Amino acid sequence: MKRPTMFLSAAGLLLALTACGGGSGGSGTPGAGTDPSKALASLAAAASATTPGSVDVCKVLPAADVSSITGTSYTNTKPNSTMGQIFGCDYSNSQYALLQISVTVVNGALDYQSDTEAMASLEKPIPVSGVGDKAFTVTDPKGNAGAAGVAAFASYGALFGDQYIKIGGSYVTPDQGKQIVEEIHGAL
């Protein structure tokens, strides 16, 4: 499902400011006296004031901590991000075990809803109480192809306000998932 984005690009906002006479020229002519560098600096300041900061999931929860929680040795991390809204870390080892943890900082509630609705067609997510505003887990796939598809998508997720923390790739138990999301949320 495609979501409408609520952010204008810097160029789009600059164009809008210029077209509307958003400059400081004072001549009454639309756009007269608009200094593009000042407009962009103003835009950057406004964006940083309204957009949540980035999250380095790999630093918040190092591979050694994930290994301790899950009982699987993870030796490599690779941070990633999507449009400054979703921040993640891929944990891996030489045996090709992969665990993916992501934090959605914008529209997390919508992502949570989309994930649980999509998973319901494969295997109904199991609600978990006592974690965040809402949380889910899935059953251990234990070789079941259908459940394995769900576990690859997300084996645990929790919503804290509009921040959504999701764990996918390798399966994690409900207790492991709870510990991981609470450690990450506590550091945000």
Side-chain angles (χ1 to χ4, degrees), residues 122-123 139-154 169:
L122 297 172
E123 177 184 1
T139 58
D140 187 346
K142 295 182 183 161
N144 178 329
V150 172
F153 183 75

Side-chain angles (χ1 to χ4, degrees), residues 37 60 63 69 88-89 92 94 104 108 124 136 143 156 159 170 175:
S37 63
V60 168
I69 293 168
C89 185
S92 62
S94 59
T104 303
K124 187 173 171 122
F136 69 85
Y156 195 93
L159 186 64
S170 298
D175 289 339

